[in-house]
Amino acid sequence: MIKIICIGKLKEYYLKEGINDYLNRINKYHKLELIELPDSNISNEKDLILKKINPKDYLITLDIEGKNISSVELANKLDKIFITNPNITFIIGGSEGLHQEIKNLSNYSLSFSKMTFPHGLFRLILLEQIYRSFKILNNESYHK
């Protein structure tokens, strides 16, 4: 199972629509759960995130200081993780980022760019990359 824990509720209809589209696409390949937690301060967010993670899950934190990889490398990474761990949890922090305690628990820190993205838009980008990963791993046309 893939779980995405993210801070803040989406307000924009177009983002909700895009996210729902990718959730439906991904669920044809793998079960995915999206968990939205309330936007607060970084310490409160840490406590909320800790309640939602399972110590057995492979944790991938999304962090501007994380490793920058290609779509193919992400697909291969997910494929390798699933060999030894059936559960992957992605964590997207709030406007203050992620608490250091959450970063310390992370098995892998991933960055999509040195740029800052709106959190809702980033959720959509992450979901698109997860979908792309499944298309790559199944040798299906989508990834160019």
Side-chain angles (χ1 to χ4, degrees), residues 92-130:
I92 304 171
S95 59
E96 297 177 52
L98 287 169
H99 193 280
Q100 190 59 47
E101 188 174 333
I102 301 295
K103 291 181 183 185
N104 292 345
L105 292 173
S106 178
N107 297 99
Y108 191 79
S109 180
L110 177 64
S111 174
F112 279 23
S113 171
K114 293 293 182 191
M115 292 187 238
T116 302
F117 296 101
H119 290 94
L121 180 58
F122 187 75
R123 283 182 217 176
L124 182 60
I125 294 168
L126 173 61
L127 286 167
E128 190 280 333
Q129 286 298 301
I130 292 170

Side-chain angles (χ1 to χ4, degrees), residues 27-56:
N27 278 318
K28 293 176 185 171
Y29 297 95
H30 205 85
K31 186 171 181 313
L32 189 143
E33 179 184 9
L34 182 68
I35 300 170
E36 290 183 329
L37 301 174
D39 201 358
S40 182
N41 66 57
I42 197 164
S43 292
N44 288 345
E45 290 169 1
K46 172 197 69 147
D47 294 337
L48 293 172
I49 291 169
L50 287 172
K51 289 177 185 175
K52 296 294 182 182
I53 60 176
N54 182 326
K56 295 179 183 176

Side-chain angles (χ1 to χ4, degrees), residues 65-96:
E65 299 302 322
K67 185 163 179 161
N68 207 317
I69 59 176
S70 71
S71 296
V72 172
E73 288 171 318
L74 177 62
N76 291 331
K77 177 125 188 99
L78 296 179
D79 194 37
K80 287 177 184 166
I81 294 168
F82 281 130
I83 291 170
T84 58
N85 195 321
N87 299 310
I88 299 173
T89 297
F90 290 90
I91 304 174
I92 304 171
S95 59
E96 297 177 52

Side-chain angles (χ1 to χ4, degrees), residues 4 6 10 12-23 25-26 34 92 112 117-132 142:
I4 299 174
C6 43
L10 286 183
E12 300 87 352
Y13 174 75
Y14 69 95
L15 288 175
K16 288 180 185 179
E17 191 173 273
I19 286 168
N20 286 333
D21 179 47
Y22 279 107
L23 286 172
R25 291 181 191 205
I26 293 166
L34 182 68
I92 304 171
F112 279 23
F117 296 101
H119 290 94
L121 180 58
F122 187 75
R123 283 182 217 176
L124 182 60
I125 294 168
L126 173 61
L127 286 167
E128 190 280 333
Q129 286 298 301
I130 292 170
Y131 174 69
R132 183 178 297 271
Y142 178 80

